[in-house]
Amino acid sequence: MKQFDTLTLSVQDHALILTIDQPKSLNALAREVVNDLEAFLDWFETTGYEYRGLVVTGAGEKSFVAGANIVQMNSMDEATFLAYARQMHVVTERFESLQVPVIAAVNGFALGGGCELALACDFIYASERASFGQPEVNLGLVPGFGGSVRLPQRVGRAMARELIFTGRRIKADEALRIGLANRVTAPEELLPAAVATIAEIAAVSPTAVAIAKRAMVQMDGLDTHDALAKEADAFMSAFHTEDSVEGRAAFVEKRTAEFPGK
């Protein structure tokens, strides 16, 4: 399996687990980590689709991703600072566009860039120890890795504005209540829960999941009329797949479908 300096990969069942492995820095998004995330995506997009889903987590018990690397940022000039933000925009958009589901397994701090990385995943499972926030205003900054775009999509405009304007940190139970997290588990149950969900997804049509994911990303921000047109396009794209032929035949014949993934 591919090796990275700041990331580790492992496999459980149908899931590939990507761990940001810099616990001494609380898995902060240093430039080296961001570069490795891009390299990982290059690898995954060419060889990784044998896995039916991706779980993103952080090493250690304290942190998913504590945020951007502020020490590095403090030494950046304007051009480097902008390039850093734009690189993370590319990374988060690429996670969003992967053909397989991506679950953020948030095991501790998900602050600033860490929250933004989790938001780029399809959904979030959180440990009871997890905490979330966009604390950039405490540094005289604003979210720069997609938080001001994706947080309102996840929790609504008013709640996103409150979290961003105050820089408040919230615990896992509140993240669940406002819709930021899908599930909260005991720490030892976090990864098994994410892996179990990937296994559940692995039982259905991979082409249908990929088409549904792509369509839902494209629908974000559209009005109802245009979004329904995207849904119709997706519906027809799925109808013509071999998976759809097999799925419909299996339903009529009252048997379990064996999806070819085409």
Side-chain angles (χ1 to χ4, degrees):
M1 189 173 292
K2 182 75 171 176
Q3 301 291 314
F4 301 93
D5 291 336
T6 67
L7 314 173
T8 58
L9 303 179
S10 59
V11 179
Q12 290 188 31
D13 200 358
H14 296 277
L16 179 66
I17 299 173
L18 167 65
T19 302
I20 300 173
D21 194 2
Q22 297 287 279
K24 291 184 179 179
S25 66
L26 298 178
N27 306 317
L29 293 170
R31 294 299 298 271
E32 297 81 6
V33 175
V34 179
N35 289 338
D36 273 355
L37 287 172
E38 278 204 291
F40 164 78
L41 289 161
D42 291 340
W43 171 80
F44 190 87
E45 288 172 347
T46 56
T47 63
Y49 282 126
E50 63 189 275
Y51 307 104
R52 293 298 304 277
L54 176 65
V55 178
V56 182
T57 193
E61 299 181 354
K62 292 183 178 180
S63 182
F64 171 71
V65 170
N69 188 300
I70 306 302
V71 174
Q72 282 188 351
M73 285 175 57
N74 206 36
S75 64
M76 291 177 183
D77 59 24
E78 184 175 310
T80 306
F81 185 74
L82 181 59
Y84 181 44
R86 286 181 169 167
Q87 187 180 16
M88 272 303 297
H89 287 165
V90 170
V91 166
T92 54
E93 285 190 297
R94 290 180 69 184
F95 271 110
E96 221 167 30
S97 66
L98 290 177
Q99 295 178 26
V100 299
V102 183
I103 302 176
V106 176
N107 51 313
F109 301 128
L111 306 175
C115 188
E116 290 165 308
L117 179 60
L119 285 165
C121 300
D122 291 297
F123 45 89
I124 297 168
Y125 286 179
S127 159
E128 293 166 343
R129 297 174 179 165
S131 60
F132 299 83
Q134 297 290 163
E136 290 86 354
V137 292
N138 293 300
L139 303 176
L141 296 170
V142 299
F145 296 167
S148 53
V149 177
R150 293 188 179 95
L151 190 59
Q153 294 170 351
R154 196 69 63 98
V155 304
R157 290 171 61 189
M159 180 59 71
R161 289 177 178 181
E162 180 178 340
L163 293 175
I164 290 171
F165 296 171
T166 63
R168 181 187 306 136
R169 185 185 303 184
I170 62 172
K171 294 182 179 180
D173 58 347
E174 186 172 357
L176 179 66
R177 181 181 64 79
I178 67 175
L180 178 55
N182 280 32
R183 188 182 301 183
V184 176
T185 73
E188 66 276 10
E189 296 173 0
L190 178 62
L191 281 178
V195 170
T197 296
I198 297 298
E200 187 178 355
I201 293 168
V204 303
S205 162
T207 57
V209 171
I211 291 168
K213 176 173 176 174
R214 181 173 64 249
M216 293 176 78
V217 170
Q218 292 172 345
M219 291 173 196
D220 279 341
L222 298 181
D223 62 29
T224 300
H225 178 78
D226 291 340
L228 288 173
K230 288 288 185 185
E231 183 183 71
D233 291 342
F235 189 59
M236 290 308 300
S237 294
F239 182 78
H240 293 296
T241 64
E242 293 181 29
D243 275 10
S244 175
V245 173
E246 165 62 12
R248 287 180 279 121
F251 179 85
V252 172
E253 296 165 12
K254 296 181 171 57
R255 59 176 174 82
T256 301
E258 296 182 5
F259 294 111
K262 298 178 182 178

